[in-house]
Amino acid sequence: MPPLRLRHAVRALVLDEAERILLCRHLVQETGTAVWAAPGGGIERHEGPLAALRRELREEVGLVVAHDPPHVWHQEVVGPGYAVGYDGVVNDYFLVRTAWFAPSGALTAAELAAEHIDGLKWWRPAEIAACRGPDLFSPRDLATPLRALLRSGVPREPLVLGV
């Protein structure tokens, strides 16, 4: 059996001073489902995880990160539909604390749409936990590990997440 092809990506848990998290709304074309996820994306061949994180934040939300944020979560998801052309994804999440800002990245609206991003929003953890609409979150139970992170702080080793 051939080895799995996993897309390696980085994500930023961007938290403001009121502990709201900035999420990107991704539209899954095949199903029409909207998924709210932390900003970030694939690591390109020529870059390391932190360089990819800085690039993605600048492109998607307009945030420049000069420091090395802590690695707080690790997620591996194997299955169809998580990354086109791959058997699944590996997401590494980094904690980025910042003052609130109006997100506006370097990418145009058309370029964001090409990446299936059609919205940005600051969320309170309680809003995520209470959301019962058709939209989903990634990870699905985002509120639980987010609340644990806010309560306990940065873990010594990244927390391993499920789907």
Side-chain angles (χ1 to χ4, degrees):
M1 192 161 135
L4 292 175
R5 286 183 29 115
L6 300 175
R7 178 179 185 254
H8 291 264
V10 288
R11 303 248 165 235
L13 301 173
V14 179
L15 296 174
D16 73 3
E17 62 277 354
E19 296 191 332
R20 291 173 293 217
I21 185 171
L22 181 60
L23 299 177
C24 300
R25 185 176 185 266
H26 295 266
L27 186 60
V28 181
Q29 303 252 327
E30 299 78 23
T31 63
T33 304
V35 178
W36 290 94
I43 300 171
E44 296 177 3
R45 290 181 190 248
H46 66 279
E47 63 188 357
L50 292 177
L53 186 74
R54 287 184 180 92
R55 176 183 51 76
E56 291 287 344
L57 286 173
R58 191 176 54 256
E59 290 175 355
E60 292 180 359
V61 301
L63 182 62
V64 175
V65 177
H67 67 287
D68 289 349
H71 181 200
V72 293
W73 298 347
H74 178 81
Q75 177 189 46
E76 293 185 25
V77 182
V78 176
Y82 288 100
V84 176
Y86 294 89
D87 300 313
V89 296
V90 175
N91 288 314
D92 283 298
Y93 290 81
F94 295 83
L95 177 60
V96 177
R97 291 201 173 264
T98 187
W100 183 92
F101 64 97
S104 178
L107 298 179
T108 66
E111 290 169 324
L112 285 172
E115 295 196 14
H116 310 292
I117 297 174
D118 71 348
L120 300 165
K121 180 180 172 181
W122 290 96
W123 291 79
R124 294 185 186 282
E127 292 174 315
I128 295 169
C131 188
R132 298 291 178 258
D135 290 1
L136 301 173
F137 292 91
S138 179
R140 295 295 178 259
D141 185 25
L142 173 60
T144 299
L146 180 58
R147 284 180 172 155
L149 178 65
L150 293 173
R151 185 177 53 253
S152 302
V154 175
R156 278 191 194 163
E157 296 293 323
L159 176 67
V160 176
L161 302 176
V163 177

